Amino acid sequence: MSEVKCIGILTSGGDAPGMNAAIRAVTRSAIYHGLQVKGIYRGYKGLVTGEIKEFKSQNVSNIIQQGGTILKTARCKEFRTPEGRKLAYENMKKEGIDALIVIGGDGSLTGALQFAKEFDVPCIGLPGTIDNDLYGTDSTIGYDTALNTILDCVDKIRDTATSHERLFFVEVMGRDAGFLALNSAIAGGCEAAIIPEFATEVDQLEEFIKNGFRKSKNSSIVIVAESELTGGAMHYAERVKNEYPQYDVRVTILGHLQRGGSPTAHDRILASRLGAAAIDALLEGQRNVMVGIKNDQVVYVPFSRAIKYEKNIDRQLVDVLRNLSI
Ligand code: F6P
């Protein structure tokens, strides 16, 4: 196994608050251990086009508190082709990069796995996505910040919902995962969460109405996870308008504001620990693993597991939400 002397770092897929803290941690840890660092811009696209710049410690000063990613991000079509990946490999070699650190979600780690298989490049992944849908880590970088952003919005919606005695459907992100929806519903004291994990099992709207919706309340907020499986908040609002016209219904779709903002302390600490752990993993000879934190311990999760295994929703949380919303 050849010694790693120079790492390339990139952020890919949807940005997430805390990615900058992760870039800082990886860069500084690598420099601390005597490695050279190159920042790759716009995710895999920068690897394909050669948008690469050497990073010193000062390049990552004053970014731990910033949302977004200073390296920019993109979803890159070229990297999905063998020709694109070949170009990426050639650029890597030209720049003297001998290992890659990829910060992103499942699409980004899938790209890293494919690349590592084809070119025998050591890759280490950091889970960076607000969706929290990567197996093998309790939390992904950005999830806690997004959750708190949603909560802030829900608290504000509650004021107007209560004043007007309305039923609100609030749509949150998560792609096909219900972590943001379920946990923001619990934290926001909401009446229900409609999540993709149960969309085919039960009619969650029926359940919610059956469970005594509005018995003793003068406002109700239902969080709906965006997903083809749930159909989104508009779908449920339409259904209520048709099936229960007595309710005054409104919809709020939170959209991309959930991805912005300064990362919470939790996300900064998570990103810092994972960034340092990524360099430790490389130096220990680990290859093609995602670093995660499980029960407060750093773990290395093979890419194939992180991507393919499903991270399950804890059914106890569903019960907690239902039992507390009486
Ligand atoms: O994966 C993060 C995420 O914000 C998802 O929750 C959402 O479905 C998607 O990205 C939106 O992607 P885009 O920014 O490309 O619209």
Side-chain angles (χ1 to χ4, degrees):
M1 201 181 294
S2 60
E3 202 195 333
V4 174
K5 295 200 184 77
C6 173
I7 60 155
I9 173 171
L10 62 85
T11 50
S12 160
D15 62 345
M19 279 185 164
N20 281 328
I23 295 168
R24 171 182 179 270
V26 168
T27 303
R28 296 234 166 128
S29 278
I31 293 171
Y32 177 83
H33 287 287
L35 305 179
Q36 199 187 4
V37 181
K38 303 239 168 143
I40 301 159
Y41 285 81
R42 299 181 174 78
Y44 292 116
K45 197 168 179 202
L47 210 50
V48 174
T49 57
E51 268 191 281
I52 299 168
K53 169 178 145 182
E54 174 148 19
F55 265 28
K56 299 286 188 196
S57 186
Q58 309 83 270
N59 291 95
V60 293
S61 292
N62 200 17
I63 64 167
I64 195 167
Q65 77 284 13
Q66 288 174 22
T69 158
I70 58 160
L71 284 174
K72 318 284 183 204
T73 184
R75 304 191 202 273
C76 175
K77 280 199 206 111
E78 297 95 304
F79 196 73
R80 296 206 188 123
T81 66
E83 299 76 31
R85 289 192 292 275
K86 187 161 173 285
L87 273 177
Y89 181 70
E90 283 162 7
N91 278 326
M92 245 188 92
K93 290 289 114 185
K94 202 157 74 192
E95 290 284 342
I97 297 172
D98 28 53
L100 267 191
I101 308 281
V102 173
I103 308 169
D106 59 349
S108 312
L109 301 190
T110 305
L113 177 62
Q114 179 75 26
F115 192 56
K117 271 189 195 156
E118 280 172 17
F119 296 101
D120 195 23
V121 171
C123 292
I124 304 290
L126 269 74
T129 166
I130 64 163
D131 302 339
N132 199 32
D133 58 350
L134 285 165
Y135 177 88
T137 187
D138 289 335
S139 181
T140 54
I141 297 164
Y143 170 64
D144 183 66
T145 307
L147 197 53
N148 280 287
T149 301
I150 295 169
L151 195 55
D152 188 40
C153 297
V154 166
D155 289 347
K156 291 187 165 111
I157 290 169
R158 177 78 69 190
D159 292 341
T160 177
T162 307
S163 305
H164 286 266
E165 301 180 276
R166 279 173 170 157
L167 163 60
F168 267 80
F169 287 97
V170 178
E171 184 176 302
V172 302
M173 280 186 168
R175 205 175 289 275
D176 287 319
F179 296 99
L180 283 172
L182 181 57
N183 285 310
S184 63
I186 293 174
C190 298
E191 279 54 50
I194 296 180
I195 57 176
E197 287 80 353
F198 303 136
T200 51
E201 250 177 58
V202 283
D203 184 337
Q204 295 170 88
L205 179 67
E206 279 299 322
E207 288 268 297
F208 157 61
I209 305 265
K210 203 173 69 204
N211 286 340
F213 152 67
R214 282 217 142 169
K215 256 194 208 136
S216 57
K217 306 204 174 149
N218 60 16
S219 77
S220 290
I221 300 179
V222 174
I223 309 288
V224 184
E226 62 158 15
S227 161
E228 279 181 17
L229 289 171
T230 63
M234 290 300 256
H235 164 71
Y236 285 96
E238 282 309 312
R239 272 191 63 188
V240 171
K241 276 184 202 159
N242 293 329
E243 296 169 35
Y244 308 95
Q246 65 274 32
Y247 300 133
D248 191 9
V249 183
R250 293 291 185 276
V251 170
T252 304
I253 296 174
L254 296 182
H256 284 80
L257 74 79
Q258 296 163 90
R259 289 233 298 257
S262 179
T264 56
H266 176 276
D267 275 333
R268 296 184 201 193
I269 294 165
L270 178 67
S272 301
R273 287 182 73 185
L274 291 179
I279 298 303
D280 291 345
L282 257 189
L283 296 176
E284 282 171 23
Q286 293 283 342
R287 279 7 181 189
N288 312 329
V289 293
M290 178 192 87
V291 288
I293 293 188
K294 270 279 203 200
N295 303 322
D296 211 28
Q297 298 296 316
V298 169
V299 289
Y300 302 143
V301 190
F303 281 152
S304 50
R305 286 175 144 233
I307 301 156
K308 292 210 182 87
Y309 284 30
E310 201 147 312
K311 185 172 184 177
N312 291 324
I313 288 276
D314 182 350
R315 285 196 179 242
Q316 276 184 359
L317 292 178
V318 178
D319 295 341
V320 167
L321 174 62
R322 192 195 48 234
N323 297 349
L324 299 188
S325 68
I326 49 175

Short mmCIF file of all heavy atoms in Angstrom, two decimals, residues 14 75 129-131 173-175 226 256 259, ligand 1:
data_model
loop_
_atom_site.label_atom_id
_atom_site.label_comp_id
_atom_site.label_asym_id
_atom_site.label_seq_id
_atom_site.Cartn_x
_atom_site.Cartn_y
_atom_site.Cartn_z
N GLY A 14 -26.14 17.96 -2.28
CA GLY A 14 -26.76 19.11 -1.61
C GLY A 14 -25.87 19.62 -0.48
O GLY A 14 -25.32 18.83 0.27
N ARG A 75 -23.94 18.57 -8.58
CA ARG A 75 -24.26 17.17 -8.89
C ARG A 75 -23.72 16.98 -10.31
O ARG A 75 -24.19 17.64 -11.24
CB ARG A 75 -25.76 16.94 -8.81
CG ARG A 75 -26.35 17.32 -7.43
CD ARG A 75 -27.77 16.83 -7.28
NE ARG A 75 -28.54 17.55 -6.29
CZ ARG A 75 -28.59 17.27 -4.98
NH1 ARG A 75 -27.88 16.28 -4.50
NH2 ARG A 75 -29.34 17.97 -4.17
N THR A 129 -25.16 15.69 4.91
CA THR A 129 -26.48 15.87 4.32
C THR A 129 -27.48 16.21 5.42
O THR A 129 -27.39 15.66 6.52
CB THR A 129 -26.97 14.61 3.57
OG1 THR A 129 -28.37 14.75 3.30
CG2 THR A 129 -26.77 13.32 4.36
N ILE A 130 -28.42 17.09 5.11
CA ILE A 130 -29.43 17.41 6.14
C ILE A 130 -30.41 16.25 6.32
O ILE A 130 -31.16 16.22 7.27
CB ILE A 130 -30.21 18.70 5.79
CG1 ILE A 130 -31.03 18.55 4.51
CG2 ILE A 130 -29.28 19.91 5.73
CD1 ILE A 130 -32.11 19.62 4.34
N ASP A 131 -30.41 15.30 5.38
CA ASP A 131 -31.44 14.25 5.40
C ASP A 131 -31.25 13.19 6.49
O ASP A 131 -32.19 12.47 6.82
CB ASP A 131 -31.50 13.53 4.04
CG ASP A 131 -31.80 14.48 2.89
OD1 ASP A 131 -32.34 15.57 3.15
OD2 ASP A 131 -31.48 14.13 1.73
N MET A 173 -37.87 19.00 4.05
CA MET A 173 -37.03 18.19 3.15
C MET A 173 -36.70 16.83 3.78
O MET A 173 -37.14 16.52 4.88
CB MET A 173 -35.75 18.94 2.83
CG MET A 173 -35.93 19.99 1.77
SD MET A 173 -34.31 20.69 1.34
CE MET A 173 -34.75 21.58 -0.14
N GLY A 174 -35.91 16.08 3.08
CA GLY A 174 -35.50 14.76 3.59
C GLY A 174 -35.38 13.74 2.48
O GLY A 174 -35.07 12.59 2.71
N ARG A 175 -35.66 14.18 1.27
CA ARG A 175 -35.70 13.30 0.10
C ARG A 175 -36.66 12.16 0.41
O ARG A 175 -37.84 12.42 0.56
CB ARG A 175 -34.31 12.80 -0.26
CG ARG A 175 -34.20 12.42 -1.72
CD ARG A 175 -32.80 12.05 -2.09
NE ARG A 175 -31.87 13.15 -2.11
CZ ARG A 175 -31.69 13.95 -3.16
NH1 ARG A 175 -32.35 13.75 -4.25
NH2 ARG A 175 -30.83 14.93 -3.11
N GLU A 226 -41.33 15.75 2.37
CA GLU A 226 -41.40 15.76 0.91
C GLU A 226 -41.04 14.37 0.42
O GLU A 226 -40.15 13.74 0.97
CB GLU A 226 -40.38 16.76 0.34
CG GLU A 226 -38.95 16.37 0.71
CD GLU A 226 -37.86 16.93 -0.18
OE1 GLU A 226 -38.12 17.85 -0.95
OE2 GLU A 226 -36.73 16.41 -0.08
N HIS A 256 -35.60 25.37 0.49
CA HIS A 256 -34.15 25.40 0.66
C HIS A 256 -33.67 26.23 1.85
O HIS A 256 -32.48 26.17 2.17
CB HIS A 256 -33.49 25.88 -0.63
CG HIS A 256 -33.48 24.81 -1.68
ND1 HIS A 256 -34.60 24.54 -2.45
CD2 HIS A 256 -32.53 23.93 -2.06
CE1 HIS A 256 -34.31 23.53 -3.28
NE2 HIS A 256 -33.07 23.15 -3.06
N ARG A 259 -31.59 24.38 4.24
CA ARG A 259 -30.19 23.99 4.01
C ARG A 259 -29.19 25.06 4.43
O ARG A 259 -27.98 24.83 4.41
CB ARG A 259 -30.01 23.64 2.53
CG ARG A 259 -30.67 22.35 2.11
CD ARG A 259 -29.71 21.41 1.40
NE ARG A 259 -29.20 21.97 0.19
CZ ARG A 259 -29.63 21.62 -1.04
NH1 ARG A 259 -30.58 20.74 -1.17
NH2 ARG A 259 -29.09 22.16 -2.09
O1 F6P B 1 -30.29 15.81 -0.03
C1 F6P B 1 -30.51 17.08 0.49
C2 F6P B 1 -31.74 17.71 -0.13
O2 F6P B 1 -31.92 18.98 0.44
C3 F6P B 1 -33.01 16.88 -0.02
O3 F6P B 1 -33.61 16.95 1.25
C4 F6P B 1 -33.84 17.46 -1.12
O4 F6P B 1 -34.78 16.52 -1.59
C5 F6P B 1 -32.82 17.75 -2.20
O5 F6P B 1 -31.57 17.86 -1.52
C6 F6P B 1 -33.08 18.99 -3.00
O6 F6P B 1 -32.11 19.06 -3.98
P1 F6P B 1 -31.82 20.35 -4.89
O7 F6P B 1 -31.07 21.34 -4.05
O8 F6P B 1 -31.02 19.83 -6.01
O9 F6P B 1 -33.15 20.91 -5.28
#
